[in-house]
Amino acid sequence: MTNTGSVAQHLAPGIRDILGTRLSGREAHYSMLYNVESTVRNYEDYLYGAGLPIAVEKPQGVDIQSFDPIEGATKRLTPVVTALGFEVTEEAWEDDLYANKGSVVRDAANDLGDSLIERVEIDAHRPFNAEGFTTAFTVLPTTTEAFFATSHAPIAGGQGITQNNMPSTNTDLNVTSLRTCFTTFKRYRDDQNKRIPGFVKAASLHIPPELQFVAEELLKSPN
């Protein structure tokens, strides 16, 4: 608990300003990665399914082939609670002389907001960092494959092909690898081997800070 002894400088006159407590607020990015929804349930289940395959030729006098839609596995998402608090004595709060100059006592409430936003961002980006390449994050339809994998199998019983959403050999970001990504996107098919309506288009490029200028050169250079 914060008391007058732990913030003694806040009780003494003469401080011009307090540095480090009023950095820029956090900018939220997670909502650009996901469809953000809310829930009042203890958990939410998502069911995977597939429709019909590509139509086949029917010779004259031959019965029409029948196919059934396929019900697959389920994926359960369970909300978690994150929290953080701080305590301050009434004496320390009242005796603080720097309420409008970056007081660590008074500004801690604002910092709570930054802290919670940062936690959301960290958790939201976990699948796109190292954990996404392990079974820490599995995806439907099999629930055993990593978020990023070289062999995503179709739903059991489907006529789709095994597909990848990462290269078989890791590569640097350059013109060749970017072109390969665009081609891969356009060739994606559903679990019954039909082309995805409108084709799949890349919406954004996610990079570490070290590749910022490489990405800008690739995407923003004229011609």
Side-chain angles (χ1 to χ4, degrees):
M1 177 181 290
T2 301
N3 55 45
T4 55
S6 58
V7 289
Q9 295 293 341
H10 282 61
L11 315 181
I15 300 297
R16 173 79 178 198
D17 203 351
I18 299 173
L19 309 179
T21 62
R22 292 178 292 181
L23 302 178
S24 298
R26 301 295 186 270
E27 183 179 358
H29 293 278
Y30 71 93
S31 60
M32 294 186 287
L33 304 176
Y34 302 96
N35 295 323
V36 181
E37 300 176 347
S38 60
T39 181
V40 295
R41 300 178 180 179
N42 182 257
Y43 61 83
E44 297 280 0
D45 284 340
Y46 290 83
L47 173 66
Y48 197 85
L52 302 177
I54 302 171
V56 296
E57 181 180 351
K58 188 197 81 65
Q60 179 176 293
V62 176
D63 292 338
I64 297 175
Q65 287 185 263
S66 295
F67 294 88
D68 296 326
I70 304 173
E71 183 179 276
T74 60
K75 178 81 172 181
R76 175 163 294 184
L77 301 183
T78 304
V80 298
V81 176
T82 58
L84 189 70
F86 73 98
E87 296 180 333
V88 58
T89 65
E90 182 178 357
E91 290 85 353
W93 185 270
E94 292 179 347
D95 294 346
D96 178 11
L97 300 180
Y98 304 100
N100 298 316
K101 290 185 176 293
S103 165
V104 298
V105 178
R106 303 300 180 98
D107 283 7
N110 295 332
D111 202 42
L112 272 178
D114 275 359
S115 177
L116 293 171
I117 292 174
E118 189 76 348
R119 168 49 56 192
V120 173
E121 291 294 329
I122 290 172
D123 287 344
H125 284 80
R126 284 172 61 195
F128 297 93
N129 294 319
E131 291 180 81
F133 297 86
T134 71
T135 52
F137 285 92
T138 59
V139 292
L140 293 168
T142 65
T143 72
T144 59
E145 297 175 346
F147 184 56
F148 293 108
T150 57
S151 57
H152 281 293
I155 191 172
Q159 297 186 17
I161 59 176
T162 297
Q163 302 176 98
N164 70 291
N165 63 347
M166 65 173 289
S168 56
T169 301
N170 290 335
T171 180
D172 293 330
L173 177 62
N174 52 45
V175 173
T176 300
S177 62
L178 192 61
R179 286 175 176 170
T180 300
C181 288
F182 287 136
T183 302
T184 300
F185 270 97
K186 288 186 176 296
R187 291 192 178 278
Y188 279 139
R189 291 176 174 262
D190 68 12
D191 291 83
Q192 292 287 27
N193 206 35
K194 300 191 298 292
R195 293 176 298 165
I196 297 176
F199 302 101
V200 177
K201 298 179 181 179
S204 57
L205 178 63
H206 302 273
I207 56 169
E210 294 80 4
L211 293 179
Q212 174 184 348
F213 291 101
V214 175
E216 289 184 347
E217 184 176 20
L218 288 171
L219 299 179
K220 296 182 179 181
S221 294
N223 305 318

